[in-house]
Amino acid sequence: MKTWQDVINTADATFRNTFSTGLKVNWLRSILNQVLQLKYSRDVTFAFFDVFEGIRDYDLPVDCEPDDIVALQIETSPGSQVFKDFYYQDVFELKEDPFYTITNGMIHFGSTPTEDKLGLIFYVGTPDIDVDKLDEMVPLPMAYRELLVHGLCERMAAARGDVARKNNFKSDFDSLLSDFLMSQLNNVPEYYTPRDVYNGRRRGRRRW
């Protein structure tokens, strides 16, 4: 399976159905977001945006969810191309500037900008699926694409009211996802941890 159409064809062969392609694409979009949120090795992208004097709220990039933000920076002065970090703050916290929070799905700065500047946001992009471009490559490694088939079949079975097959597809999805996550955890490099070879025997010695 390479393309979105391959995923849909495989799911259709696994679970016969009459659901529209548009509905399947909506289901696949939801499944893709679920898999990407749990997949560690995701690419970080960035986007510039204009910050205007007197405006505190700004839209996120179209392919960015609030949880996808890695870093957010604003120019130190107009046209300087030198950027300063703004740190995320929960709406219930109180911190000093510079900070931002997310309200109503928008970036909200803690203080009102006093100059027109350039903003820069780094985030983990969430690819979209275009119903008219199903011949595009699925933005997941080959091993993960089988998850999309199980997830799509689960949603189709649920929509048809086939509880037994819905549960079977969900079990396949959960089992395969668990295997992948464990594989990722096992591949995390082990970092060297210093050991106290003196076992505390030097604690009684005088410090200089």
Side-chain angles (χ1 to χ4, degrees):
M1 292 180 292
K2 294 182 178 180
T3 68
W4 290 111
Q5 190 62 60
D6 292 337
V7 172
I8 292 175
N9 291 344
T10 303
D12 287 342
T14 304
F15 187 84
R16 300 293 181 181
N17 67 90
T18 57
F19 296 111
S20 69
T21 300
L23 182 55
K24 293 172 187 174
V25 167
N26 286 337
W27 281 329
L28 282 172
R29 186 176 292 117
S30 174
I31 300 164
L32 176 63
N33 289 342
Q34 179 182 358
V35 174
L36 287 176
Q37 289 296 328
L38 296 173
K39 181 176 176 292
Y40 295 153
S41 52
R42 299 173 62 189
D43 294 331
V44 175
T45 188
F46 66 91
F48 291 99
F49 64 100
D50 293 317
V51 177
F52 299 103
E53 178 183 354
I55 306 297
R56 298 175 68 178
D57 298 295
Y58 297 86
D59 291 323
L60 291 167
V62 293
D63 59 341
C64 175
E65 297 293 331
D67 291 341
D68 293 340
I69 297 175
V70 176
L72 190 148
Q73 301 176 337
I74 303 296
E75 278 185 311
T76 55
S77 60
S80 69
Q81 292 292 306
V82 177
F83 292 86
K84 180 179 182 179
D85 286 319
F86 276 61
Y87 298 100
Y88 175 77
Q89 170 186 309
D90 189 85
V91 292
F92 300 108
E93 297 176 349
L94 292 176
K95 291 183 179 178
E96 297 182 359
D97 277 337
F99 74 86
Y100 74 94
T101 189
I102 301 294
T103 58
N104 298 321
M106 301 181 70
I107 298 169
H108 177 81
F109 289 113
S111 59
T112 303
T114 58
E115 297 175 298
D116 293 348
K117 300 179 182 179
L118 192 62
L120 176 60
I121 181 172
F122 294 89
Y123 63 98
V124 180
T126 302
D128 197 11
I129 309 171
D130 190 335
V131 69
D132 296 321
K133 298 179 180 179
L134 297 180
D135 58 342
E136 291 184 345
M137 295 285 291
V138 176
L140 286 175
M142 182 67 71
Y144 283 89
R145 296 172 192 171
E146 189 177 352
L147 284 168
L148 299 175
V149 174
H150 292 320
L152 181 55
C153 287
E154 177 195 347
R155 282 160 174 76
M156 292 191 295
R160 182 177 286 179
D162 190 335
V163 177
R165 298 200 68 185
K166 184 265 184 191
N167 290 338
N168 287 339
F169 288 129
K170 177 171 174 44
S171 177
D172 292 339
F173 180 92
D174 290 344
S175 177
L176 188 57
L177 183 60
S178 177
D179 290 343
F180 289 151
L181 292 179
M182 288 303 300
S183 176
Q184 290 186 24
L185 288 173
N186 291 335
N187 288 330
V188 172
E190 294 184 4
Y191 296 99
Y192 172 73
T193 302
R195 291 185 303 167
D196 181 6
V197 296
Y198 291 99
N199 296 321
R201 286 178 292 176
R202 296 180 61 184
R203 294 176 182 172
R205 299 180 64 179
R206 186 169 56 185
R207 298 177 61 186
W208 295 95

